[in-house]
Amino acid sequence: MCTRIIYQTQSEKFITGRGMDWNDPTSKFAVIAMPRGYKQSGGNYPNALTWTSKYGSVFTSMYDAASSDGMNEAGLVANALYFAEADYGDYTKSDKPVISVGAWAQYFLDNFATVAEAVEAMREPAFIICAPLLANGRPATAHISLSDESGDSAILEYIDGELTIHHSNEYTVMTNSPTFDEQLAINKYWKLVGGNRMLPGTINAADRFVRVDYLLESTPKFEDGKMATAAAMSIMRSIGVPLGMEDPDHPNISATLWRSLGDHSNKTYYLESSRQPALFWVDLNKLDLSEGASIKGIVVDGPENQFGDVTNQLTPMDTITWM
């Protein structure tokens, strides 16, 4: 499920790209604008974590129950990628408040302006994560990538019940399995081989990591604006998995259903559905994200094709209950 990059422009600004690979093409996606001052609950649990959003944000939801990808008005981007190895520990044996994995990415968008702030808060997490079962019977396990306007980056993974944080602006690529440190080790070997000689070609996560790392390093740094946006999206398109391809036993090896870009400095969130012919975007600078504003959104792959700036086309939507 997915590939994530951080592209640097010629003017040393940054765009985070993400491709959503998933094995349920009927899943419902929507792009949603969430205002500041919104009271949140970590899910339908007796001891659910609660907080009030400090920052407004735009994010892509799954199943009307999970925030999978988004950017807040401070320029922080959060991406939740499927992670089969995740083990958050047993929330029923903890006294900490509970947050659903579907709300984890949104927690960062609501509360932090920078990667450094988020990492510092996660040194001693104020909650424990629960991963509910999906309709296919698998737990909805994920790891999180964070990036901000400065180009800072962090990868957060729970392994054997313990949180591991990889924090460096050098971490510009992320996929799914294996664990991030193993991904780095595999990529180190392929750097010795040299991408101009040979690259691994399967659609599994480790191979995608190697290929997209080479493509990211090889792509020129275009000037900020249309060319930089196009360059970042071209990398995401080149690493996508064609519609219809899947491995039923491995949901992280599935077709790419959509691709997003978070332009940190221009505060613009782009999305391209694989099932529609055009790119569309939301300009956070034009949104009313003030406290008391309504939640608004637009359904992806609905009856109407979206294209261009859809900021003014967002309409009121129901509150999300995190799975």
Side-chain angles (χ1 to χ4, degrees):
M1 175 184 160
C2 320
T3 304
R4 171 267 207 181
I5 66 167
I6 301 175
Y7 172 83
Q8 183 175 340
T9 73
Q10 189 180 77
S11 56
E12 297 187 354
K13 296 181 180 179
F14 299 91
I15 298 171
T16 293
R18 184 261 177 80
M20 166 62 82
D21 303 351
W22 192 236
N23 64 346
D24 182 3
T26 65
S27 55
K28 181 180 178 182
F29 298 103
V31 173
I32 298 174
M34 185 82 73
R36 298 185 294 274
Y38 187 76
K39 297 186 183 302
Q40 295 272 31
S41 171
N44 188 23
Y45 308 101
N47 188 29
L49 180 74
T50 59
W51 69 92
T52 300
S53 58
K54 292 173 59 179
Y55 301 97
S57 63
V58 172
F59 66 94
T60 301
S61 69
M62 294 179 64
Y63 301 108
D64 290 329
S67 176
S68 61
D69 179 89
M71 180 172 65
N72 70 17
E73 59 187 326
L76 182 75
V77 169
N79 315 100
L81 281 68
Y82 180 78
F83 186 46
E85 292 85 351
D87 176 3
Y88 307 113
D90 187 348
Y91 76 94
T92 65
K93 297 180 180 179
S94 173
D95 294 330
K96 288 186 175 183
V98 179
I99 183 173
S100 166
V101 70
W104 194 19
Q106 194 61 35
Y107 173 80
F108 292 112
L109 296 177
D110 286 351
N111 287 291
F112 305 106
T114 67
V115 171
E117 287 179 12
V119 167
E120 183 60 29
M122 290 299 292
R123 297 294 182 192
E124 296 184 13
F127 51 79
I128 188 168
I129 298 172
C130 173
L133 294 178
L134 298 170
N136 58 17
R138 297 188 180 93
T141 51
H143 49 181
I144 295 281
S145 69
L146 301 172
S147 50
D148 64 24
E149 189 171 354
S150 73
D152 199 5
S153 174
I155 314 299
L156 290 78
E157 298 179 335
Y158 276 89
I159 302 167
D160 296 328
E162 298 293 330
L163 175 62
T164 299
I165 301 175
H166 303 270
H167 183 195
S168 171
N169 60 7
E170 296 180 1
Y171 299 144
T172 57
V173 173
M174 176 185 177
T175 56
N176 312 109
S177 301
T179 60
F180 189 67
D181 56 353
E182 291 179 5
Q183 289 184 9
L184 292 176
I186 293 170
N187 193 52
K188 184 178 180 180
Y189 162 77
W190 281 101
K191 281 181 177 292
L192 294 174
V193 174
N196 59 336
R197 296 181 179 87
M198 182 173 62
L199 286 169
T202 76
I203 60 175
N204 73 46
D207 284 6
R208 280 187 282 115
F209 187 107
V210 173
R211 289 204 307 281
V212 79
D213 182 76
Y214 172 75
L215 294 172
L216 185 61
E217 289 188 353
S218 303
T219 301
K221 294 175 178 152
F222 291 99
E223 65 179 81
D224 192 47
K226 290 183 179 179
M227 284 301 296
T229 301
M233 184 58 80
S234 72
I235 296 172
M236 299 315 304
R237 288 169 178 155
S238 70
I239 203 66
V241 180
L243 285 173
M245 293 186 67
E246 64 176 342
D247 182 339
D249 295 325
H250 300 89
N252 54 323
I253 303 178
S254 304
T256 302
L257 300 185
W258 52 259
R259 304 169 185 89
S260 71
L261 299 178
D263 186 329
H264 297 272
S265 295
N266 292 317
K267 308 299 187 294
T268 305
Y269 182 73
Y270 299 84
L271 196 131
E272 175 187 75
S273 169
S274 298
R275 292 174 283 183
Q276 292 188 8
L279 180 72
F280 65 95
W281 59 88
V282 175
D283 185 344
L284 276 73
N285 299 297
K286 299 177 182 177
L287 284 173
D288 180 5
L289 297 173
S290 62
E291 184 172 351
S294 61
I295 299 174
K296 293 185 176 182
I298 190 167
V299 175
V300 181
D301 296 327
E304 301 292 332
N305 286 338
Q306 293 89 33
F307 58 91
D309 188 346
V310 300
T311 309
N312 293 329
Q313 298 177 35
L314 272 59
T315 57
M317 299 191 79
D318 293 335
T319 301
I320 286 184
T321 300
W322 306 113
M323 70 176 183

